[in-house]
Structures are given as C-alpha cells and as structure tokens.
Amino acid sequence: MRRCGCLAVFVFAIAASVRIFAQTPAALKGLSADLSRYYFKTPADEVAARAELNLALAEMSRYKGQLNSAHQLLGALRQNETVQNLFAKHEGYLHLRCSQNRKDPACDADKALESDVDAKTAFLDPEILAIPEDRLRGFLTAEPALASYGFALTDIRRDKLHVLPEAEQRLLDQFQPQIGDWQYDLYQQVVAGISFGTVETSSGPLDVVRQRNLIAAHGDGRVREEGFKRRYAGFASQRDLLAFALIHTVQAQNLLAKTHHHVDAPARKYESLYCEPEDTRSLLAAMAQHGDIAKRYEKVRSLDIDRDYHQPAHAWDMSAPVQELSPPGTSLLDARHIFHEAFAGLGKEYQSEFDALVDPANGRADILPGGAANRYGGGFSIGFDRGKSILFFGRYDGTFKDLSVIAHEGGHAVHRQLMTANGVPPTYDHGPSFLFESFAAFNELLLADFLAEHAGSPELKRYYRERWMSIKGLDAFYGAQDALLEQAIYDGVVAATVRNADDLDRLTLKIDGEFSLFPASTPELRTRWAMVSLMYEDPLYDVNYVYGGLLALKYYDLYTTRREWFVPRYIALLKNGFNQPPKELLHQFLGIDLSGPALLNDDLELLSRRLDQLEAN
Ligand SMILES: [Zn+2]
C-alpha cells in the first residue's frame, strides 16, 4: 500500500511539479546536516578534539625509522588507521562547514590539518617499501595479524621498481611546483584574462563562460550559436600560450615518469589503475573504432532539432530544449519519493539506506534550494569509520540534473555507509577512482530510466531516455574521446609531431571526428583541446571516466537482464571495500572481466538497443 501511495505522489509530481515546487514553502526550506549530532557539538569542540589527533600523531612518529620487526610493522599500520580515522572525522567536519560558507575559518583549518597529517605520516610508505622481500615474508609468518594488511602491503610495494633514492625524491618534491604545477596555474591565469563577453537575450545578457549551460539550453538558436562561437573564439585568442602550457605539462609528466623508470606518463597512469598499458591502449583504440555510437546519438538529437526548429542542427544545438516541453521541476519532498522508488530494485537494504540519508529527521543531508552566497555550488559526500555518512549539495533548483547529482553523490554516501556498517577498516575504504565512480554513475542510469518509465507523456519519456543516454550512457565514449586525445598528445610530443597550437588543432579534429559528426563542418571545434582543463589540472585522469562509464553500463545490463543474480552480489561488492585489485573484485563478485573485449561489446549492444529505441520513435 505504501508503495502505491508513493507512486501516486510522484507520478503527480512528474506531471505537475513546477506548480508544487512553487507552492510548497516547506519544500523550499531544504535539508540541513546535523553536524553536532554526528561529528562535533561546536567548532570549539572540534578544535579541542584535535588534541586526541595530535596524541595519535605523536604515537605514530614513534614508529619512524623503527619498522624493524613484525610487531613494530603491525603497530605502525594499526596506529596509521587510528590516525586516519580521527583525521577523517575532523576533515569531513571542516570540509562540510567550509562548503556551507567559503569564508568560514574552517576552510584554512582543513587545509592546514591535512598537510600536517600528510607530513607526519609520509614516512610509512617509503619505509615499508624499503623492507627487503625475505624480511617482510618473515614478518608475515611471525605475526598472523599482519595477514589482514596483506593487500595494503602489496599495494605499497608494487611501486618498488619505481622508487627513487630518498634524497633524489626529496629534491623532486621540493621542485614539484616548478616542474609540474606551474602549467595549470598559467592555464588558469591565461583563461581568467580572456574577455569572453556576454550574449544578449530577450531576458538580459548571459555570461559566455559562467552561464554556458543556460546558453547551450536556450530556446533561441542565435543565442546558442553566439555563445558557442564566442567561447571558442576566446580560447583560440590565447591558443599559443595555452599550447605552451599543455606541451610543457606533457614534457614534465613524461620526464617524471621516465625518472621513475616507467616507459612514459600514460603507462605510469594506466599501471597505477592496475591496468596493463597495452590493454588500456587497445581499449581506447577499440572505442574510437566504435565511435559511431556517439554519432548515432547526435543524429537522433539532430532529427529532434530539425523537427522542432525546422532547420538543420549544428554543434551548438545539442542541448537545445524540446519545443513546448518544459521538463518539470521537482520539490525535495517529491525527490525523496522518487529516490525511494527508483532504488527499490536494489533491495531493501540499499533502499532504506538511501531513504535514511535524505530523511529530514536524520540530519544527514545538506541540500539548499536556490543555494546561497559563499556556499559551494556542487555536491559530495563525507563519512568516517563508526560515523554516519553525510550528503552535501550546494544549490538545488529541482531540475533533472539536480536529481541526478543527488543520486550520484547520495550513492557515494550510501556506499560509505554500507562499508562502515560492514566494518571495513580505513585501510580498505577507498580504491581506484573509476571503481568508486562506477557505483555512483550506475545510480544515475537507474534514476533516468525510472523517470522515463513513469513519465506522464511520450515527449517526457523521450526526454528522460535522451538524458539517460547523454548524461551517463555515453559517458565512457566521451571519456574515451578525451583520454585518446590526451594519449595522442603525449605520444605526439615524444615523437616531435606535436610542437604547437596548429599541431594540437590537427590532432583534435582527427580524434574528435571519430566520435562526433561536427568537427568536419565546424572549424571552431579544432580548439577543443584548450577547453579540456583536466589535461592541465590532473594529467591523464580522463581514463577513469572510460572504465567508470563502461562498468556502470555493465551493472545496468546485469541489473536489467539478471536482477536476482546481480543485486545481492552487487551489494556485497559495495560492502566489501577495496581489499583486492579492482580486476579481482569485479571478477569475483560480478564475473566481469575488466581487460577482455566482452565488457565493451556487451555495453555496445546495450547502447545500440537503446539507440534503436530512440531512432524508432
Ligand atoms: Zn562521484
């Protein structure tokens, strides 16, 4: 009965929630996290409690230079967990307060505490690496309790071949800002100095950069085109300096990789994700060969535009609104009902965890309709061992994208909670980003699908199906486009075929042309390399979106075809933590082979079926 009641509420919500959103004052209040209940009573209490953390750090420092017995090694690993646990509670608290108000002193305190803890625990990994192999084997035999740290030790020691003598590493660390960090600083400064300007609209000017999403989704094609062209022209106006910063990023990363005895920077990155560099390179190449899947979606959107606007679609029209369909806004109250229903298929345990997270009585979510000055606009979750996880979302406007962000970040929070409830120690509560992100992205697929299934009209159903495809369905392919471009730039710099902005333009048009219809006819797109800021900020990170996206689709595939088999295994994987390499975890719990061709092939089949559906309508 309860299920039916909820269903009635949200179907109504989807049909007419713009009105509900506007009319319910309670819905505008938002949710606030009760930090005093789960973290510290007051900011002063948090400061006072740092004494305990400092004591733990002092205790930790007693192990420095003393990892000379099984007993000492076990003591250091255990003490490190105590430190990380205490720190996570402070860090989460300060980070959340800082996000509520960017001018809060918590922001500086958070950074200071983090670098203090990092500095005082930095000796552990190099000292573990320095233990000779046979000695460590002896420790493991002598002290059975070390067995539970087995994977953590292997994880640290797999870097063995790449470690530099301490003095060399210290020197490199000291010069890191001048070797590898200045390029992103320069990028930010150059971009900040570009005057992109505004686009005039019937309701006033829109900022080309800050309001680019509003411009891209504007109903007036002239606004979309002008915004697009001004943004590309802005980046092109500084192409030489931006190319200089990018090529120096690549040179620095390749040099650092070689200094650490890796073949090159891409190999170093792929290995850090527990992937064989050749496997990752072949995967990216195979995805480019199947880049047509992303082009098919562009064709679907182009036909929508043709039909709605009676003119051919351009690169800047892909987010144009469907005529006469204003997707409904959703109040927070209705959003909670939607999440309750959307995650029902994941079983009672997951569903109740998500319900508990967004239940106002629990004070575990901080979501503010309309946002606020000085409040961080994005979303994240925090959590620590023995504490409750908390979800933060800076600005809620009731759009579908907002619901999707809550499904994603709430997914991280529920995942943390499931690990905590299962007693996963801090050593194993974090893992490779792509695996972490795959779980959150899967929630977004479930949400879009659920809204499509329960949409009140065929137009709205199509709208959510297209969002399913564009927000997460094709994520792996958009990620592959960026990862392949980045890899090609690294290869090109080594081969001296990429030396300036012209070379970067050429490479961008070639690779983007494999995934998109527009580069051939839209010369502006050649400057896209300058807009992929992640290449400067976090070199080679993009490949995480490839694996994360492919896995989320595979979970979705298993969820829809073998739900009874999949769900208990998936929940067990979430609860397990990261005590093995990702490949092994995926194989053991879900029978997924991360390096074989089946993952991509199964996903392609799924995407193709979903595109058939969109093309048929
Ligand atoms: Zn995430």
Side-chain angles (χ1 to χ4, degrees):
M1 271 316 285
R2 186 158 181 264
R3 198 185 149 96
C4 295
C6 287
L7 209 73
V9 169
F10 72 74
V11 168
F12 174 58
I14 292 170
S17 53
V18 179
R19 206 159 49 82
I20 296 177
F21 194 37
Q23 282 183 352
T24 314
L28 295 172
K29 277 210 316 245
L31 297 172
S32 57
D34 189 352
L35 287 176
S36 63
R37 186 160 151 198
Y38 301 112
Y39 284 71
F40 299 97
K41 284 246 169 316
T42 63
D45 279 3
E46 186 274 324
V47 174
R50 285 182 214 166
E52 194 189 349
L53 175 61
N54 288 332
L55 265 180
L57 282 165
E59 176 69 21
M60 181 78 192
S61 68
R62 291 188 25 227
Y63 291 97
K64 194 170 178 188
Q66 302 297 322
L67 301 188
N68 44 23
S69 70
H71 178 73
Q72 284 292 99
L73 177 60
L74 181 64
L77 289 165
R78 285 185 170 161
Q79 188 57 28
N80 187 47
E81 289 197 318
T82 304
V83 166
Q84 296 307 330
N85 242 334
L86 290 169
F87 170 62
K89 187 175 177 185
H90 287 268
E91 206 275 331
Y93 178 80
L94 293 169
H95 187 63
L96 208 125
R97 274 185 42 215
C98 173
S99 305
Q100 288 170 331
N101 176 12
R102 309 289 290 234
K103 301 220 160 128
D104 194 295
C107 303
D108 288 336
D110 186 13
K111 277 187 218 140
L113 201 62
E114 185 173 4
S115 61
D116 187 38
V117 171
D118 282 354
K120 287 177 175 158
T121 52
F123 71 91
L124 190 60
D125 287 8
E127 288 197 21
I128 288 175
L129 263 166
I131 303 172
E133 199 60 48
D134 51 344
R135 195 127 195 255
L136 183 67
R137 265 200 303 276
F139 287 178
L140 284 159
T141 322
E143 180 49 88
L146 277 173
S148 66
Y149 295 97
F151 175 64
L153 292 169
T154 313
D155 193 44
I156 294 168
R157 292 171 66 86
R158 81 193 171 105
D159 225 19
K160 189 128 192 94
L161 294 172
H162 308 293
V163 175
L164 301 181
E166 205 190 326
E168 269 181 49
Q169 186 59 50
R170 210 177 322 119
L171 200 64
L172 278 182
D173 289 346
Q174 194 185 332
F175 281 104
Q176 176 58 24
Q178 285 72 33
I179 298 171
D181 294 347
W182 63 267
Q183 296 90 335
Y184 182 54
D185 287 346
L186 174 63
Y187 177 83
Q188 286 178 299
Q189 294 231 14
V190 171
V191 173
I194 298 172
S195 43
F196 290 94
T198 56
V199 179
E200 285 306 320
T201 75
S202 51
S203 51
L206 288 176
D207 187 281
V208 167
V209 173
R210 236 174 357 93
Q211 291 171 303
R212 62 182 179 279
N213 291 335
L214 284 179
I215 291 176
H218 203 276
D220 181 348
R222 187 199 54 81
V223 170
R224 295 195 298 272
E225 179 175 358
E226 196 184 326
F228 172 91
K229 290 190 169 166
R230 274 178 179 272
R231 202 152 76 85
Y232 274 89
F235 279 97
S237 73
Q238 290 291 352
R239 62 198 288 274
D240 292 331
L241 264 180
L242 295 173
F244 176 83
L246 181 54
I247 288 167
H248 279 273
T249 301
V250 171
Q251 286 169 341
Q253 293 302 323
N254 268 338
L255 202 56
L256 283 169
K258 277 198 195 309
T259 307
H260 285 93
H261 317 297
H262 290 273
V263 175
D264 55 23
R268 184 185 192 187
K269 184 64 174 191
Y270 303 160
E271 277 166 14
S272 79
L273 304 176
Y274 277 90
C275 297
E276 294 297 332
E278 331 54 290
D279 286 352
T280 305
R281 281 183 177 264
S282 343
L283 175 68
L284 293 177
M287 291 180 78
Q289 274 166 20
H290 293 285
D292 271 344
I293 205 93
K295 292 182 186 174
R296 270 178 72 189
Y297 179 65
E298 285 180 344
K299 277 184 203 144
V300 165
R301 285 294 296 144
S302 296
L303 287 173
D304 288 349
I305 309 292
D306 259 342
R307 185 200 57 218
D308 278 2
Y309 293 87
H310 309 293
Q311 53 186 3
H314 299 280
W316 49 85
D317 294 323
M318 289 299 102
S319 302
V322 181
Q323 298 277 47
E324 275 141 46
L325 172 79
S326 49
T330 308
S331 74
L332 268 178
L333 179 67
D334 292 333
R336 285 171 45 214
H337 293 308
I338 290 172
F339 294 130
H340 177 80
E341 296 298 331
F343 299 132
L346 289 176
K348 275 270 165 280
E349 191 177 6
Y350 194 95
Q351 187 186 34
S352 349
E353 282 295 353
F354 210 103
D355 287 348
L357 181 69
V358 290
D359 184 340
N362 291 334
R364 286 181 52 204
D366 209 86
I367 304 176
L368 191 62
N374 296 324
R375 187 178 159 94
Y376 171 59
F380 60 87
S381 79
I382 58 171
F384 67 102
D385 191 23
R386 293 186 291 275
K388 292 281 183 191
S389 64
I390 285 182
L391 162 72
F392 176 93
F393 187 40
R395 182 195 166 107
Y396 182 77
D397 293 318
T399 64
F400 168 69
K401 180 69 189 159
D402 290 347
L403 292 184
S404 202
V405 172
I406 295 178
H408 179 111
E409 302 300 341
H412 285 313
V414 167
H415 179 200
R416 288 183 208 288
Q417 199 56 43
L418 289 171
M419 286 193 287
T420 299
N422 194 33
V424 172
T427 305
Y428 296 131
D429 70 1
H430 54 283
S433 301
F434 72 83
L435 200 49
F436 227 79
E437 293 305 330
S438 69
F439 304 138
F442 172 51
N443 275 8
E444 293 187 79
L445 291 172
L446 291 182
L447 174 73
D449 210 30
F450 173 81
L451 288 172
E453 289 316 304
H454 296 86
S457 70
E459 291 77 22
L460 209 48
K461 187 187 279 290
R462 185 177 178 81
Y463 168 81
Y464 288 122
R465 281 184 174 159
E466 289 188 354
R467 297 285 81 73
W468 185 97
M469 192 58 81
S470 67
I471 290 190
K472 283 296 149 196
L474 288 171
D475 218 30
F477 284 85
Y478 298 140
Q481 186 177 342
D482 287 348
L484 207 56
L485 174 62
E486 193 167 17
Q487 182 187 283
I489 295 171
Y490 276 78
D491 294 349
V493 168
V494 170
T497 52
V498 171
R499 284 165 303 193
N500 52 40
D502 287 345
D503 298 334
L504 288 167
D505 283 1
R506 253 194 305 278
L507 204 53
T508 304
L509 285 182
K510 178 176 164 282
I511 287 170
D512 284 3
E514 295 181 291
F515 294 89
S516 169
L517 298 167
F518 297 111
S521 57
T522 317
E524 290 87 351
L525 286 170
R526 65 179 173 248
T527 318
R528 202 184 69 86
W529 57 266
M531 293 169 157
V532 189
S533 58
L534 207 55
M535 293 201 293
Y536 300 79
E537 185 183 2
D538 196 347
L540 296 155
Y541 185 86
D542 273 315
V543 72
N544 276 292
Y545 297 115
V546 178
Y547 285 110
L550 288 174
L551 285 170
L553 281 175
K554 185 62 204 172
Y555 306 153
Y556 180 86
D557 184 32
L558 291 168
Y559 174 84
T560 43
T561 54
R562 301 168 67 193
R563 189 171 305 181
E564 275 174 24
W565 180 90
F566 168 75
V567 168
R569 284 165 180 79
Y570 177 71
I571 302 299
L573 172 60
L574 292 182
K575 288 176 169 177
N576 181 76
F578 303 89
N579 58 355
Q580 291 174 68
K583 236 178 230 181
E584 257 106 277
L585 287 174
L586 289 162
H587 188 259
Q588 182 190 322
F589 283 88
L590 298 172
I592 295 174
D593 177 4
L594 191 62
S595 52
L599 178 61
L600 176 59
N601 290 340
D602 292 354
D603 286 354
L604 279 165
E605 236 172 77
L606 166 65
L607 288 172
S608 193
R609 276 200 308 275
R610 303 279 302 206
L611 282 163
D612 288 345
Q613 198 178 38
L614 285 172
E615 285 160 354
N617 289 333

